[in-house]
Amino acid sequence: MGPTRSCTARFELATSDIDIGPLREGLLRDEAGAYASFEGWIRNHNDGRPVSGLRYEAYASLAVAEGQRIVEEAAGRFPVSGVHCVHRVGELPVGGLAVWVGASAAHRDAAFDACRYVIDQVKLRVPIWKHESYTDGPAQWLHPDEPGSPPRPA
Amino acid sequence: MGPTRSCTARFELATSDIDIGPLREGLLRDEAGAYASFEGWIRNHNDGRPVSGLRYEAYASLAVAEGQRIVEEAAGRFPVSGVHCVHRVGELPVGGLAVWVGASAAHRDAAFDACRYVIDQVKLRVPIWKHESYTDGPAQWLHPDEPGSPPRPA
Amino acid sequence: MAKVALLYFASLREATGCEREEVETGAADLAGLYAEAASRHGLQWPRERLRVAMDGAFAAWSEPPREGSEVAFIPPVSGG
Amino acid sequence: MAKVALLYFASLREATGCEREEVETGAADLAGLYAEAASRHGLQWPRERLRVAMDGAFAAWSEPPREGSEVAFIPPVSGG
């Protein structure tokens, strides 16, 4: 399944800061009346613990393949003009930009829906892991429980 | 009804181009992990007709009061850190930025929901009108029908 | 009788040919005030499709016009 | 016997102490290959919590390991 209209659908990993200005401009289209974007920023807390920063690690080849599949699914499901996602890997400080998603479309329903679909699926499926550092204890890898899954091993 | 947490909620009219860089930065918060934005751009077509540009007119004092009410409603309904909307008035070319909405929050549900609420309500309630020019005929004011409403007078 | 200023926007301004007019009215409510304006200018909009604002806040059609107030008849909006 | 390279990420890499190892395996499927690795390194993750990829694409646990392939055991992801 892929887009049937001519439409940009692109996923990338970034090893340095994401510059959103040109990414947004790459989605401008004369026929597009709506643009929705999402950004994930590093919070200063997680699960009640004070976060000092983090590092993202990816299984790069599979992450790019799975991310590309996700943006193409979004382009096939929703009538968008373009959809683009960039995920950062490496060290990030509190406030840093971890992930950006942008979608342009003739109408706002499709722009919002595509943007939401991409970030939700990226968080579920793309092999990227967060190594979180705290001000109150040792750093750890995050491996979220799925609903109903057995507890994480110690 | 207003926000019970400390939270930015702001609506503005702009008479010149909207500069989104500083608007986005104004919503950065160390406790916010999610940012959603929406932009409305002038399309090159509407209802099947080729659009050459348009002009927005507002009943400014009421538009600002109603817009402010909307962003405060969003801040009260959804756990956001900040929500901001700027609507352009005056002449705009195809591709021009008509309206911008941004919302930051600890989690992405609230950021998306607040952003969507604001643009939906702004379109329904804020006294701003679109005067659209076409390449194939005379310009006209747009007054959308509400569902079930009697036809527009000639 | 109350003296009020009427504001017209978008296609209502095109239809009346003015953006503001001062009138003396004996209308009991804002609905009556609109009926007078519609009759004076030949406005085609049924009141049900409009909203009304007095002094910069939305108002009910059943409110009486306040002396010295500014009243706007609001056709369906198309911002965003 | 098949010769495969195993990749470990995140806490699995911490647990094994390596990001890549070459092994000869007689396992009939990828599930058996994981059982060998879990036993060798004392891995605590039950297979049900992991996914598996072969040569850069997600795979089924029932697939046999391909000679010369690269196999990754994928713990729950936390990007975004």
Side-chain angles (χ1 to χ4, degrees), chain B residues 14-67:
Chain B
T15 52
S16 57
D17 285 354
I18 299 173
D19 184 5
I20 54 181
L23 293 170
R24 170 187 172 278
E25 294 205 355
L27 291 169
L28 294 167
R29 302 281 184 281
D30 275 358
E31 82 279 3
Y35 167 81
S37 80
F38 176 81
E39 299 177 23
W41 298 333
I42 307 306
R43 280 183 300 157
N44 63 2
H45 64 282
N46 191 18
D47 253 336
R49 298 191 59 190
V51 171
S52 53
L54 55 74
R55 178 159 56 91
Y56 280 104
E57 170 176 300
Y59 178 11
S61 61
L62 184 58
V64 166
E66 190 70 0

Side-chain angles (χ1 to χ4, degrees), chain A residues 24 30 35 37 39 109 116, chain B residues 24 35 37 39 109 116:
Chain A
R24 170 188 172 277
D30 276 357
Y35 168 82
S37 79
E39 299 177 23
D109 276 342
R116 185 71 205 244
Chain B
R24 170 187 172 278
Y35 167 81
S37 80
E39 299 177 23
D109 276 342
R116 184 71 203 243

Side-chain angles (χ1 to χ4, degrees), chain D residues 10-67:
Chain D
S11 63
L12 276 181
R13 190 184 60 244
E14 274 189 352
T16 62
C18 68
E19 60 185 30
R20 189 172 197 281
E21 61 178 350
E22 310 238 340
V23 299
E24 297 256 349
T25 181
D29 55 19
L30 297 174
L33 184 62
Y34 178 68
E36 290 176 357
S39 155
R40 189 163 63 247
H41 295 290
L43 302 179
Q44 300 299 307
W45 285 97
R47 182 164 57 78
E48 295 67 33
R49 298 278 329 268
L50 307 177
R51 286 188 295 168
V52 62
M54 189 157 51
D55 289 335
F58 286 112
W61 287 108
S62 58
E63 292 182 43
R66 275 195 300 270
E67 170 65 30

Side-chain angles (χ1 to χ4, degrees), chain B residues 79-101:
Chain B
V80 291
S81 302
V83 54
H84 195 165
C85 177
V86 182
H87 201 299
R88 185 75 154 71
V89 290
E91 300 276 348
L92 280 164
V94 167
L97 179 56
V99 58
W100 170 87
V101 184

